[in-house]
Amino acid sequence: MAVDATLPYDDQNVFAKILRGEIPNRTVYEDDFALVFHDINPQAPTHVLVIPKGAYVCWDDFSAKASDAEIAGFVRAVGKVARDLGLVAPGYRLLANTGTNSHQEVPHLHVHLFAGQPLGPMLVR
Ligand code: 5GP
């Protein structure tokens, strides 16, 4: 079921469990602000998820409440992973679903990073 982006943070969500080490993940990169790991159900040859270490439901929550350091650290982590994976020249796509109409499923902010092939139109028509 899609996330209601206005609800408070639920620390039993699957990405909170991954951050606490209760569920395994295939980590690509980690620093003080972000964890990056492979999506369990990849939609492209490269499909990783970048999540902040802090407890934020979605982009709205993060952009309103996170500190400048958290926001900078998170955005830099997205860029660093893309560079480290060699994705700048071939290109990549970022996606952050927020709330019901986007079909956000996990109520912890995540940015999808897709790459590895031409990624098609932005939205299904
Ligand atoms: P959303 O629809 O919320 O933007 O995307 C959630 C993503 O999380 C989906 O692409 C889904 O495959 C991924 N996902 C859900 N549960 C797990 C999990 O336990 N481990 C990993 N690595 N990815 C997950």
Side-chain angles (χ1 to χ4, degrees), residues 15 26 37-49 105 112 114:
F15 294 169
R26 291 172 54 219
F37 52 95
H38 289 279
D39 195 290
I40 203 168
N41 183 24
Q43 305 294 311
T46 298
H47 181 179
V48 299
L49 301 170
E105 285 177 6
H112 297 258
F114 302 104

Side-chain angles (χ1 to χ4, degrees), residues 3-125:
V3 167
D4 177 345
T6 66
L7 288 180
Y9 188 80
D10 170 10
D11 68 4
Q12 293 306 306
N13 79 75
V14 68
F15 294 169
K17 291 179 180 176
I18 284 176
L19 281 170
R20 291 195 296 267
E22 296 167 11
I23 293 178
N25 74 91
R26 291 172 54 219
T27 299
V28 174
Y29 174 75
E30 181 170 13
D31 63 22
D32 288 347
F33 297 105
L35 178 68
V36 186
F37 52 95
H38 289 279
D39 195 290
I40 203 168
N41 183 24
Q43 305 294 311
T46 298
H47 181 179
V48 299
L49 301 170
V50 187
I51 68 173
K53 291 249 170 120
Y56 299 101
V57 176
C58 62
W59 193 269
D60 179 68
D61 193 24
F62 185 67
S63 61
K65 298 184 190 150
S67 69
D68 290 356
E70 287 177 298
I71 292 171
F74 182 70
V75 171
R76 288 196 188 282
V78 174
K80 177 173 171 49
V81 165
R83 277 191 301 280
D84 289 354
L85 294 176
L87 301 178
V88 178
Y92 60 93
R93 178 172 293 161
L94 303 177
L95 176 72
N97 290 319
T98 302
T100 308
N101 276 353
S102 74
H103 303 294
Q104 180 183 358
E105 285 177 6
V106 179
H108 181 112
L109 171 63
H110 46 286
V111 169
H112 297 258
L113 191 164
F114 302 104
Q117 66 182 28
L119 294 165
M122 252 195 297
L123 295 174
V124 175
R125 296 182 201 284

